[in-house]
Structures are given as structure tokens and as C-alpha cells.
Amino acid sequence: MDVNEQIRQDAVDYSLKSIKYICEEIGPRESGSANERRTQEWLRKEMLDKGYADSAEIEEFRVSPHGLVGFTKIISVMMVIAVACQFLAYAGETAALAGRIVSLVLAVLSLVILLLEFLMYIPFIDFLLPRRTSSNLCAVKKPSGEVKRRIVFSGHTDSAYRWILLEKGPKVMYTVLVPAIAGLAFAIITFLVALIKGATPLWMMIANAVFVPFYIGVYFFCTFKTVVPGANDNLTGVLASVAVLKCLKDSGITLENTQVEVVATGSEEAGLRGAKAWAKKHKKEIADSGIDTVFIGLETLRDYEHTSIYVRDLTGTVKHDADAVTLLDKASAAIGHPLPHASVYFGASDAAAITKAGIKATCLAAMDPTPADYYHNEKDTADNMCPETFRLGLDVALAAVDIFDKEGFGK
């Protein structure tokens, strides 16, 4: 597939310029917000007006924007109340029993919310939170003949709430989170012992109270008042996906049997909700079509030395499809830059939701897992991007299209 150097460089320049426009003219893009939708509308118009895509539709779904990180406010309050209820031991036998029961229930529920909402991205408490309409932008570049293969590139259009603790440095965040989690575990054990024995000794009350400052610290983990620019995370992934279509158009390339698609998801920062909605809507269609389909998530193309193919996701619990990973292995080797494998051990990418739905998927990302100093804070601006890394991601994506078009999954 002949995409020359100038066309590739033009695509990089166009993409970085577009990201700058979105960040400065549209602004931060909270999940389910007007700005998220404005970004998708702008991208849709760009792809259709410039002939990058044959069609582009916006698909809506409902979302709770606070679903993923809203737990920090909820469990911090619940744990402070749980500790306070232990002191009802001095208010009479009935009140003491009620206090022990309430304390244990709140602590166990806090653990369940933490595990399901934050670590597993399961919408456990979403129904209790305010809801909005979010959307996915789905663009298609059709082949000239019968569709025998489908390759989907994706990035998310929304940007994150500002993570205050992380902005102050990973050490600050861990100094708050680790003791808070340890306190939660300690609380469940001691609350259970107190309930079984029917007594709450003073030392137990004091020991649990020691963790209260850390629970309060968790409350300030993030702020819903500030949404970050999100230039790298993840407009780079979105525009790299669009850039694939641009390169095909500018090179005069129409594949014969491979359909190339772009899915610009919404509400990834709310817990992969856009990817989940896309998978739910299209899973049966993909399965019934019998067409070989692969989903390539492009995520935060910023830190060159950390560019990797992700083989595990969703806090390490999801293993991406071997065929999808092999495709990117071949693609990176084809451009003379073989990439290492990596895992998302804390958090997740949209590809995790697609893999869980039974669709072949993987993720290409380039972000310092420490994490990066711009991650989920106001340093993630259009002036803080890396053209070289963006170009690497685009080159791998284009090579993947070429290989998939010629070989499919190589079986």
C-alpha cells in the first residue's frame, strides 16, 4: 500500500493542528457533555466534507459521567460514617448493635463499589448518579468490492476530570490511596469481629479513626469542577484514526475487499461506556456477517519510548485477542520498529470492552505508565504533544491496514 512520505507528514500536521483547534476552540470534553458532542460533529463534518469517509453516523447512548471516579466521593463519606458509628458503643446496647451492623455494611459496600466500579469498570452504582446522553461517532470507508474484512480504529473524544492527588505527584496519590485501602481492609475485619463478639473495644475505635484523614483525602482524589484539555489522552488516538482515512484518500487508495472504519467513542473516562455501547449495538451484526473484524484501540500517542502493544487490559484481567496482537506485531515489524508487549495493570482502555464483548481487539498506546506527568491534569495540552510518537502510531496503523488487507488474520 503506497502512502508516500509527504502524505504521511501532511496527515500528522493536519492531525496535530486539528487537536489544537479542538482543545482551544471547543475546549475540555466532559463525558456526555455538549463539547464532547461538538467535537464529534466537527470530526464528522471534516471526514465527510473532505471525502475521508463514505459515511459517518452518530450513535447515542445514556451515561453517568461520574460513574467511574464518583466512587471516591461516595466511599470516603461512607467510611467516615462507618468509623463514627463504632462510637455508638457508648450509646446503649441497641445503639451499639445498630452501629456495628451499619459500620460493617458500609465498609463491605465500599469495597464492592471500589472493586466493581474502579477496578472492573462495571456500572454498579451508575443508576444512582445523574445521567446524560453521550455518543459515538462511527465513520466508514467502503471497499470497491465485496466486504470480506473489516478493520476498526478507535480513540475516545472525551477528556478526564482533573485528578488532584495525581497532579501533586504519584507519591502524594499513593500516600493517600494505599493507607485508605489498607484502612478499608482493616475496618472490614475489625467491624466483623466487633459484631461477632458483641463488643467494640476502645483500641479498635481509635485504630479505625486513624484512617479517617486518608478517607477524607480520597474525597479530594479528583474534582468534577475541572475537565482537562485531553490533547494526548485521547485526541491523539482519535485523530490518528482519522489520519488513516486521510492517508488513504490523499493517496487515491480504495481497498478492494477491506472496509476501514473509525469509531470516535464518547465517555471512555466514565468507564469505557462508549466502547461498551458500541460493542452492544454492533456485536451481533459483526458475528452474523461472518466478516473477519479487528478493533485497534489507539490511546495516548505521546511518550515515544513507551510505545507498546497491549496484550492485557482492565487491571490485567482481560487478555486481548492473539490474532489482533499478532497483526500489530507484524505491522510494527514491517515499518522496522518492532514494539514490545505491555499490560494495563491499573485502569483500562476501550479495547478491553471490545475484547470482553467477544470481538477481536487490542490496543496500541504510548504513555509512561508511571503515570505520565500530564495524565489527567491540565498539562495535557496541544502544546505538549510529540509529533514523532504520533507519526509512529500512524505508521503502525497504516501498516496494519496493508497487512490485514492482504493477509487477513493469516489463517
Side-chain angles (χ1 to χ4, degrees), residues 103-152:
S103 294
L104 181 59
V105 169
L106 289 176
V108 170
L109 187 55
S110 294
L111 178 61
V112 171
I113 292 172
L114 172 65
L115 293 176
L116 296 185
E117 281 282 353
F118 194 64
L119 295 183
M120 303 304 297
Y121 285 58
I122 296 172
F124 180 63
I125 60 171
D126 287 34
F127 72 98
L128 297 172
L129 304 172
R131 293 175 68 79
R132 294 178 182 170
T133 297
S134 184
S135 55
N136 295 323
L137 169 62
C138 307
V140 176
K141 175 65 177 176
K142 298 177 181 177
S144 59
E146 178 187 359
V147 179
K148 295 181 180 180
R149 289 170 293 278
R150 177 192 291 114
I151 185 167
V152 182

Side-chain angles (χ1 to χ4, degrees), residues 163-170 172-173 221 370-372 375-377:
W163 286 18
I164 297 174
L165 293 184
L166 182 57
E167 188 175 68
K168 296 181 182 300
V172 173
M173 182 180 71
F221 176 84
T370 303
Y375 182 66
H376 288 190
N377 65 59

Side-chain angles (χ1 to χ4, degrees), residues 66-372:
H66 298 169
L68 179 62
V69 292
F71 86 96
T72 57
K73 315 291 186 186
I74 295 170
I75 70 173
S76 61
V77 171
M78 290 200 303
M79 287 308 299
V80 170
I81 294 173
V83 172
C85 283
Q86 288 286 281
F87 288 87
L88 290 176
Y90 295 108
E93 188 175 333
T94 301
L97 176 60
R100 294 183 193 109
I101 293 173
V102 171
S103 294
L104 181 59
V105 169
L106 289 176
V108 170
L109 187 55
S110 294
L111 178 61
V112 171
I113 292 172
L114 172 65
L115 293 176
L116 296 185
E117 281 282 353
F118 194 64
L119 295 183
M120 303 304 297
Y121 285 58
I122 296 172
F124 180 63
I125 60 171
D126 287 34
F127 72 98
L128 297 172
L129 304 172
R131 293 175 68 79
R132 294 178 182 170
T133 297
S134 184
S135 55
N136 295 323
L137 169 62
C138 307
V140 176
K141 175 65 177 176
K142 298 177 181 177
S144 59
E146 178 187 359
V147 179
K148 295 181 180 180
R149 289 170 293 278
R150 177 192 291 114
I151 185 167
V152 182
F153 293 98
S154 179
H156 64 87
T157 52
D158 60 317
S159 55
Y161 294 117
R162 178 179 162 217
W163 286 18
I164 297 174
L165 293 184
L166 182 57
E167 188 175 68
K168 296 181 182 300
K171 289 183 179 179
V172 173
M173 182 180 71
Y174 294 133
T175 297
V176 173
L177 292 186
V178 172
I181 293 172
L184 175 57
F186 178 77
I188 291 175
I189 294 171
T190 55
F191 292 169
L192 180 59
V193 169
L195 182 61
I196 292 173
K197 291 189 173 182
T200 309
L202 181 59
W203 73 263
M204 189 180 292
M205 298 179 196
I206 294 173
N208 276 293
V210 166
F211 293 101
V212 168
F214 299 104
Y215 300 144
I216 294 173
V218 170
Y219 186 89
F220 296 100
F221 176 84
C222 69
T223 175
F224 297 140
K225 295 181 179 179
T226 307
V227 181
V228 306
N232 292 290
D233 183 14
N234 184 31
L235 289 181
T236 53
V238 173
L239 267 298
S241 300
V242 174
V244 170
L245 299 187
K246 175 177 170 57
C247 286
L248 295 177
K249 161 64 167 55
D250 293 350
S251 301
I253 297 172
T254 299
L255 303 175
E256 184 177 356
N257 299 115
T258 301
Q259 182 162 290
V260 184
E261 301 183 14
V262 168
V263 177
T265 62
S267 298
E268 189 268 359
E269 300 292 0
L272 318 182
R273 303 309 192 239
K276 288 175 182 282
W278 184 84
K280 181 178 180 180
K281 182 177 177 64
H282 296 280
K283 177 181 177 180
K284 186 176 186 301
E285 163 203 331
I286 291 171
D288 291 349
S289 72
I291 297 170
D292 281 346
T293 299
V294 64
F295 180 102
I296 308 296
L298 301 177
E299 176 71 45
T300 313
L301 301 174
R302 168 59 172 78
D303 303 327
Y304 193 88
E305 65 276 18
H306 293 287
T307 308
S308 303
I309 299 164
Y310 280 75
V311 297
R312 299 195 75 89
D313 214 318
L314 193 62
T315 317
T317 63
V318 170
K319 183 179 181 181
H320 285 312
D321 180 79
D323 289 336
V325 170
T326 298
L327 175 61
L328 290 192
D329 284 337
K330 291 180 179 179
S332 62
I335 66 169
H337 197 297
L339 293 174
H341 290 175
S343 175
V344 183
Y345 287 115
F346 183 73
S349 76
D350 272 340
I354 307 304
T355 293
K356 286 192 70 176
I359 301 168
K360 292 177 180 292
T362 189
C363 176
L364 175 70
M367 186 182 74
D368 181 354
T370 303

